[in-house]
Each structure stands twice: as C-alpha cells, then as structure tokens.
Amino acid sequence: MSILVVDVGTSSVRAAIVRPDATVGDVARRPLPPIVPFEGLLEIDAAALATAVLDVAAEALARGGPVDAVGVTAQRASTIAWDAATGDPLGPGLGWQDLRTAGTCLELQGEGLRLSPNESATKAAWLLDTFDPDRRATTRIGTVDSWVVYTLTGGADGGVHVTDPSNAAVTGLLSGGRLEWRDEVLERLRIPRTALPTLVDSSGRVAPAAALPGAPPVCGIAGDQQASLIGQGCVRPGMAKATFGTGGMLDLCTGPGAPASTARSSAGCFPIVAWRRAGVTTWGVEALMLSAGSAVDWLVDDLGVLADAAESATVAATVADAGGLVFVPALSGLGTPHWDFGARGTLLGATRGAGRAQLVRAVLEGVAAAGADLVEAAEADAGVTIDALRVDGGMSANAVFVQALADACQRPVEVSPQLEATTLGAGYLAGMAVGTWRDEDDVAAAWRPARTVEPASTPDRDRWAGAVERARRWYPELTALEF
C-alpha cells in the first residue's frame, strides 16, 4: 500500500510517494520562500501555500499513484488564520522564526506566563488582534499542518480542522501530560476555543482528502522533526537522530512516560510529543542548535570563500586538520545547552599558517562540536546513553562534517538514506494506519543507513568548551533574555 506524503518546509513544498519497501519516489516540488518584510519578521503566503500543496500532490499522484493514504508533515509552530466560511486566509501566516511578538512574550513573563516568540500562542493572538479583533465565529487558527489538512480535505467545502499532538505541543497553547488546551493562555490572549483544531492521533484515519483524485484518506500528521525521528527508525527509548539544515535539531525518543514539566530542562532540552498512535502518546526530548548549515552559508554568501555549500567538503578535505583554528557557530546566539541569545560566532587560534581550507574545516568541525553538545545534553536530560546517532538534513551529505561529528560525539554516526527523512516518517505514520507497516517494530526494522561512520580521532573537548565560553555574553542585554 503506497502513501502520498505532503511535506512543507520553510522554503519549499514537496510531495512524494512512499512505497511499502520504504523507498521514496515520484517527487514533485515547488519553491515557496518566506516573505521577509523587515529583519526579524517572517511571513507565509498561505493562499500560495494551499495552491502549491494541491499542485505538488496532483503531480506526484499523476506520476506514482494511486495511493492508499496520505501523510502530512510540516514546519512546526508557524501559524495561519483563516475564515472557514470562505476558506480564505485572514492575513499572512507567521513563520516560526518570526519575532514580532517578542515584546509580548516578555510582558507575559511578568504576569507569570512563559511563552516563546517561536511558539504559536502569541502569533495566533497577533493575527486575531490584527485581522479579527471581534473574534468571528467562523475564524480558525492553526499550524501549517492544520492548514494543509484543511486544504486537502476540501477547504471551505467540508475541510476538517485538526492537528496532532506533535504539532500542538510546540504551540505554547497545550498543557503538559494531559494534552489539553491551556485555558489560562486562551483567556489571556483572547483565543476562542472554537478557533482551535481538534486533536487527533498522529497515525490514524482522519478524513478523505476530497481535493485529490480518488480521495485517499489522510492518515498521518506530524511535525517535521518528529517525522524525521520516525523516518530514521528512532521509535524506541534511547534512540536519537539529528537533523543538520540551516540550524540543527536533535530528537531523542523517551517512550510513553509523560514529562513532569514542559519547561526547558537544566540541560537545555525541551520535552516533546514524538507521536500518538491508538491513543498512546510517545514522548521525547529535543535539543536545538541555532546555526549549523547557516555557518557554511556564511562562508559562501558573506565571505565568498566558497562557490557553494557543497564545495565545503572538497575544500576541507584538502587539509588534515584546522591548523589550530576553532570556530563557534553562534551566528544567531547559542541554543542547547547554553541558551545565550547574546553569544556570537567566534573564531580563535588564527595564525599566518591558517588559510582558506583550515577556515572551512574549522567551521565544519565547530558545527560538529556543537552537535556533540546536543548529544550530551539530551543524554543528561533523558538519563540514557545514545549508542549511535542517526543523521539527516543537507549537511549529512558532507563526508568531512559527518566524520567530524562522529569524532566529536565519540560514537558511530548512521547517515539516513533519505537526505530529508521527514517524508518517510510521515509515510510510516500514515502507513501504520492502513496496514502498510504493522507497528513501530516494523518501522524500526526498515532502517537501512546509507553508511555508518565510526570515530577516527579524539577531539579536545576542553578546548571547545573554552572557545564557547569566549563566544558567550557578547551582547549582555541579549544574553539576559529568557524565553
């Protein structure tokens, strides 16, 4: 039984067919870059997104259909408001990186409500205050997955308004273990319950995708990082994956036990809902790196030392080491475990012997060292040992980086056969609902890494920790911010 997956990233929309042998093909893609009206603001053209979703789904089905089910995965916490009577967006969607509500979040902290501008809660309030101050009964608010499912299931002509717990849990609107909407936040921000989606399982039949040929049922919904976790077969406690794209996300499966708190831990990680199937919730923890591939983009776009990101592996491979250079990838601050928004990118150890190749290698090794910080934080938070780290994302294609990551983590790194494992993960969730895969054991058994990289040297982690300390508190006023 084949699965159609719609996968909405930050800058593109794609659809693909996932086959019962866990291969992904018949890919259709449309670019959909975010709109940046001013620095710190990031918007989504929700109407264009809906059109792109239908276009790529139809194209993938024409190539590889028919299918037995549909899975949906999308960037998390990005927020869209629309009128259910017309199916039209009320205004631009707000991307998860949009910071226009940072001041509101700080104000709410003074009232005892801790919310982040990267969550959906204050974004939803801003959209309502701006485009629907009267809170009409037909207004709906949702994350990108909700908008996509609404579009696929008919839009204004009978579309359903749902989300799954993996997306809802990163909105700031959901309680902890109970997985219920938080009344105190809804009341303070004047968000009507009627505007919010119904929570459904991440794997299970939702509704027919009436906007598609044959109306296959939507059966799988997950946030992008959770879909990547499942797509790399990390479905048992202690299994972890890291995705290295513009930033870096490490997610670790912890099992069915709900966390005592949804707040950030002392190790700098956050509890997440990994997925919910047959009413049973599987939890995890997440660690976050703010700059990963963006550090390589800095070499390309700002310094001009590389023609493109792919050249970084070739150039770095021309030297055996970084020649004493140490780079801390804090171009936008530091995430886990430090959470210092005032930290900045730092290059140390420069001598006349350090040239272009050493600089490029230092950047790759710096991202790898920061990745090891994520591993150590997640292990401390979950109280487990990660035996091997699975990786996907654009940087997983860089052999020098993957070796540096294995060295920094001092454990094997298994590279995903899919550069973006999100599509496969959403396919697994939908497939379990229709019997393509029986359960999580089948998903785990399907894992076949493209390659496994073993550690080949031991880095100086004390020197790395000293470099990070020098990168911190560059802008003390930003360091003082806590979200």
Side-chain angles (χ1 to χ4, degrees):
M1 294 184 177
S2 297
I3 312 296
L4 170 72
V5 172
V6 175
D7 189 339
V8 181
T10 303
S11 58
S12 68
V13 181
R14 59 186 178 272
I17 307 297
V18 177
R19 304 292 180 190
D21 62 358
T23 58
V24 177
D26 305 296
V27 178
R29 184 187 300 264
R30 297 287 186 278
L32 193 71
I35 301 162
V36 184
F38 298 101
E39 184 178 357
L41 307 186
L42 193 141
E43 298 179 350
I44 298 168
D45 184 334
L49 171 57
T51 298
V53 163
L54 295 176
D55 286 349
V56 295
E59 185 176 333
L61 286 172
R63 293 178 185 174
V67 298
D68 299 282
V70 178
V72 173
T73 182
Q75 54 176 295
R76 304 170 305 178
S78 297
T79 309
I80 295 170
W82 67 93
D83 188 333
T86 64
D88 295 330
L90 298 185
L94 302 187
W96 64 270
Q97 308 101 315
D98 190 282
L99 297 177
R100 74 187 66 197
T101 63
T104 302
C105 291
L106 292 173
E107 178 185 337
L108 291 170
Q109 281 186 20
E111 302 176 17
L113 285 179
R114 183 168 288 274
L115 297 169
S116 165
N118 295 129
E119 294 174 322
S120 304
T122 55
K123 298 181 193 297
W126 186 90
L127 287 167
L128 291 172
D129 291 343
T130 304
F131 299 104
D132 182 23
D134 295 329
R135 280 32 177 190
R136 294 188 299 271
T138 55
T139 292
R140 301 291 181 264
I141 286 279
T143 42
V144 170
D145 62 295
S146 294
W147 176 242
V148 171
V149 173
Y150 175 76
T151 298
L152 291 173
T153 56
D157 188 18
V160 300
H161 186 31
V162 299
T163 191
D164 90 302
S166 76
N167 282 287
V170 295
T171 62
L173 295 169
L174 206 67
S175 67
R178 299 193 315 276
L179 297 182
E180 298 172 351
W181 299 119
R182 297 171 62 187
D183 287 330
E184 70 276 18
V185 177
L186 299 184
E187 292 171 7
R188 173 60 181 83
L189 298 178
R190 298 182 56 235
I191 299 174
R193 255 181 193 271
T194 54
L196 295 175
T198 299
L199 261 70
V200 298
D201 281 355
S202 311
S203 177
R205 291 178 181 266
V206 175
L212 301 181
V218 174
C219 292
I221 305 172
D224 54 2
Q225 298 306 316
Q226 289 93 329
S228 174
L229 185 73
I230 299 161
Q232 295 182 72
C234 299
V235 294
R236 293 292 176 249
M239 302 179 74
K241 69 83 189 173
T243 299
F244 292 95
T246 301
M249 295 273 196
L250 185 144
D251 295 87
L252 182 149
C253 177
T254 58
S261 169
T262 58
R264 191 174 76 210
S265 73
S266 58
C269 302
F270 294 90
I272 59 166
V273 174
W275 68 90
R276 190 173 75 184
R277 189 172 77 88
V280 177
T281 302
T282 299
W283 295 82
V285 298
E286 184 167 276
L288 171 64
M289 184 192 313
L290 301 177
S291 298
S294 60
V296 179
D297 293 338
W298 171 66
L299 295 175
V300 177
D301 300 330
D302 300 306
L303 296 188
V305 300
L306 296 172
D308 53 41
E311 191 185 12
S312 63
T314 304
V315 172
T318 63
V319 293
D321 56 53
L325 288 178
V326 178
F327 176 74
V328 181
L331 301 179
S332 302
L334 289 169
T336 306
H338 308 286
W339 288 105
D340 184 346
F341 293 104
R344 285 299 177 264
T346 302
L347 184 68
L348 298 167
T351 66
R352 284 296 303 273
R356 172 175 177 250
Q358 287 83 3
L359 171 61
V360 174
R361 191 173 190 98
V363 167
L364 296 180
E365 291 179 353
V367 175
D373 287 347
L374 302 188
V375 170
E376 292 170 3
E379 287 181 327
D381 195 35
V384 300
T385 298
I386 298 171
D387 294 324
L389 181 65
R390 299 176 179 179
V391 297
D392 72 332
M395 291 191 72
S396 67
N398 188 314
V400 174
F401 167 71
V402 174
Q403 183 63 64
L405 182 64
D407 293 342
C409 295
Q410 287 294 288
R411 68 202 73 204
V413 172
E414 300 176 357
V415 180
S416 170
Q418 302 294 330
L419 193 62
E420 307 288 347
T422 50
T423 294
L424 185 55
Y428 283 144
L429 287 170
M432 283 190 286
V434 295
T436 308
W437 296 276
R438 289 174 301 175
D439 53 25
E440 288 85 350
D441 288 337
D442 271 5
V443 170
W447 172 249
R448 298 287 187 276
R451 63 186 188 281
T452 299
V453 179
E454 299 284 346
S457 64
T458 304
D460 187 340
R461 292 288 287 167
D462 290 336
R463 172 177 282 192
W464 165 252
V468 170
E469 191 60 26
R470 287 169 171 82
R472 297 192 62 190
R473 296 176 291 276
W474 189 254
Y475 293 107
E477 67 277 13
L478 296 179
T479 297
L481 294 177
E482 283 280 349
F483 291 117

